[in-house]
């Protein structure tokens, strides 16, 4: 993505906030009580939003045909119930490998699969989940969630509304008070320098000036909130159409682990480095290893089935290959500085969601 | 002092621990639990599924205690309500030994099954207790029923402390809804616990004691007691 350096931060944010997925939503057969059955609803869903929030748009299409009962909204894609707390854009990037436009989904208003999906009581549940993630992101970057807990009621309302309505200006106004900051490193300086020429905001020029010293600013402990969704294939696929279908959530490895920035002289921390640091089991040779303090690895007794004995690897090292990376619907060049990716492509709750396809050997595939 | 234990400086400990520290602490915890709890199932380490063939990271996983049965008497009055934990397999053995007369009585008793997992949170850098409950037929319990199972002081702890509340979230490894005790305050109270306990901090912070201390608080919220003998190991 060689154009990255010339897209200013504000332009990138605007593109991300305007991103949407066209959905063609069909009511499940079992809930159609009228003839002819209602046609599917065509809806433009914001990437940064969540599926249950579409209920107000969907209900009018289907209300006259639904069987009696209480609405318990849920969605599925080719038989896979969709996790409602994952942003719509991420679901699309993850499950629709060959992007389908519009994306055909099935909606249910009855028969919620509560053994599989967390309960969802409408907008309140989605809002709670969003604020909870925001607190977690704050904890990761600052070591505490005080800034989120201390938000005024009106700020909280405005923050949530701005996400609901896709209002970037309103969002920036409130979220800047949280001071969750941006990730700066000496490479961001070069990119910001290009963008500051077109910036009216003197605040950003100051930030760029501060960064010239090469310091990393505003992230405590250099931890970045990231949510990685990994699926594996055992063979190369020439085109996306022949990529295997994800029909089960067990085939996706969900990794909710912060990326720890490690600086090496003369080398900047790229997107590739970040992804590999989160997958040490597949990329053990990676120079940026994330799994904590190596000096405390010790075997504490051998308890038989209670094996707490991490013997050193005697198996051949896995030669995994990153086949596909999708963030906000784009497939960025993996050598881009991670700082740019974080600052421009993260979601409103300050998490960066990354969908990754790995090619691995048969034995190490996720079944 | 035991050579195996690793000591850290006391200050400025923030109440958190790393992923590999969690593994060490988990091993120590499960070993002590076994030692002091002869009649209760052990906590087992479950390596996370995706790593089962890559031994260099066997350390990633969680502690599991499953098949705990909560036996409640059919007494209506709360003061008479007793909470006894038994292992699933020991219950079926008992039922075989009982004659018909008492079988009729015991059929009034409900048995709720509980599974507990202790999972490390990389975001909060602390352990988190996850649990789920179901009837003998496998039907999950609604939260209202779980609340009745929890000890009386649990509600008190949860309402008084803004840090200890139960939420329902997806299990980090199992793709199913579980209940959990929210971790956002854990590092704070672990820090307070440590600094306030001279027995704990006289030797510096010892990683292997982390889960024992943590569980002495968390266990109370769900009614799992920690044997006194285990707590006493913290001061040696």
């Amino acid at each position: 993505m060689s154009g990255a350096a010339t897209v200013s931060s504000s332009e990138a944010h605007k593109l991300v906030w305007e991103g949407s997925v066209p959905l063609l939503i069909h009511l499940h057969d079992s809930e159609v009580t009228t003839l002819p059955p209602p046609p599917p609803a065509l809806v433009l869903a914001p990437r940064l939003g969540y599926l249950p929030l579409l209920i107000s748009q969907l209900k009018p299409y289907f209300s006259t045909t639904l069987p009696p009962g209480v609405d318990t909204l849920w969605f599925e894609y080719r038989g896979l119930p969709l996790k409602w707390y994952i942003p719509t854009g991420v679901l699309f990037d993850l499950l629709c490998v060959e992007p389908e436009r519009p994306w055909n989904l099935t909606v249910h208003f009855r028969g919620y699969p509560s053994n599989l999906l967390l309960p969802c009581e409408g907008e309140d549940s989605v809002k709670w989940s969003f604020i909870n993630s925001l607190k977690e992101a704050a904890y990761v970057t600052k070591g505490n969630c005080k800034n989120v807990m201390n938000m005024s009621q009106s700020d909280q309302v405005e923050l949530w509304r701005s996400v609901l309505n896709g209002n970037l200006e309103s969002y920036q106004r409130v979220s800047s008070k949280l001071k969750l900051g941006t990730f700066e490193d000496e490479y961001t300086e070069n990119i910001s320098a290009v963008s500051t020429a077109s910036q009216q905001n003197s605040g950003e020029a100051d930030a760029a000036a501060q960064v010239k010293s090469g310091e990393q600013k505003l992230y405590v402990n250099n931890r970045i909130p990231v949510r990685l969704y990994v699926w594996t294939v055992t063979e190369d696929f020439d085109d996306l159409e022949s990529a295997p279908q994800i029909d089960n959530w067990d085939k996706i490895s969900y990794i909710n682990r912060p990326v720890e920035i490690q600086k090496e002289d003369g080398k900047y921390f790229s997107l590739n480095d970040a992804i590999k640091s989160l997958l040490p089991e597949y990329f053990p040779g990676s120079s940026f290893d994330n799994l904590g303090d190596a000096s405390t690895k010790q075997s504490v007794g051998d308890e038989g089935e209670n094996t707490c004995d991490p013997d050193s690897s005697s198996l051949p090292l896995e030669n995994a290959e990153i086949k596909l990376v999708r963030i906000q619907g784009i497939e960025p060049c993996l050598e881009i500085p991670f700082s740019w990716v974080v600052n421009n492509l993260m979601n409103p709750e300050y998490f960066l969601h990354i969908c990754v396809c790995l090619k691995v050997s048969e034995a190490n595939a996720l079944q | 002092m035991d050579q195996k234990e690793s000591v850290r400086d006391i200050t400025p400990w923030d109440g958190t621990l790393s992923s590999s520290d969690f593994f060490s602490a988990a091993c120590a915890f499960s070993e002590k639990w076994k030692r002091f709890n002869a009649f209760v199932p052990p906590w087992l380490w479950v390596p996370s599924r995706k790593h089962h063939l890559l031994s260099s990271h066997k350390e990633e996983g969680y502690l599991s205690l499953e098949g705990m049965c909560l036996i409640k008497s059919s007494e209506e009055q709360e003061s008479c309500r007793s909470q006894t934990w038994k292992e699933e397999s020991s219950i079926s053995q008992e039922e075989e030994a009982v004659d018909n007369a008492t079988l009729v009585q015991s059929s009034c008793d409900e048995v709720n099954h509980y599974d507990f997992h202790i999972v490390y949170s990389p975001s909060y850098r602390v352990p988190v207790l996850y649990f789920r409950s179901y009837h003998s037929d496998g039907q999950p319990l609604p939260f209202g029923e779980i609340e009745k199972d929890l000890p009386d002081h649990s509600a008190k702890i949860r309402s008084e402390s803004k840090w200890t509340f139960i939420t329902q979230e997806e299990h980090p490894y199992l793709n199913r809804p579980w209940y959990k005790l929210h971790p956002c305050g854990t590092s704070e109270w672990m820090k307070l616990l440590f600094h306030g306990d001279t027995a704990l901090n006289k030797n510096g912070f010892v990683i292997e004691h982390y889960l024992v201390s943590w569980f002495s608080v968390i266990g109370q919220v769900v009614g799992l007691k920690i044997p006194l003998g285990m707590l006493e190991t913290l001061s040696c």
Side-chain angles (χ1 to χ4, degrees), chain A residues 83 85 136 223 250 308 315, chain B residues 27 53 57 123 170 175 187:
Chain A
K83 300 186 182 184
Y85 47 87
E136 189 181 336
R223 303 203 313 152
D250 290 338
C308 284
L315 291 176
Chain B
C27 292
L53 286 173
H57 289 283
S123 296
E170 195 167 276
N175 284 321
S187 64

Side-chain angles (χ1 to χ4, degrees), chain A residues 48-65:
Chain A
L48 302 181
Y50 303 86
L51 291 175
L53 301 177
L54 300 174
I55 190 172
S56 51
Q57 286 176 267
L58 291 176
K59 193 70 198 285
Y61 277 88
F62 303 122
S63 54
T64 50
T65 187

Side-chain angles (χ1 to χ4, degrees), chain A residues 1-2 4 268 270-272 325 330-337 341:
Chain A
M1 208 175 125
S2 57
Y268 67 85
S270 67
L271 175 60
N272 201 25
V325 173
I330 61 180
E331 288 156 39
C333 162
L334 295 182
E335 294 314 311
I336 292 184
V341 177

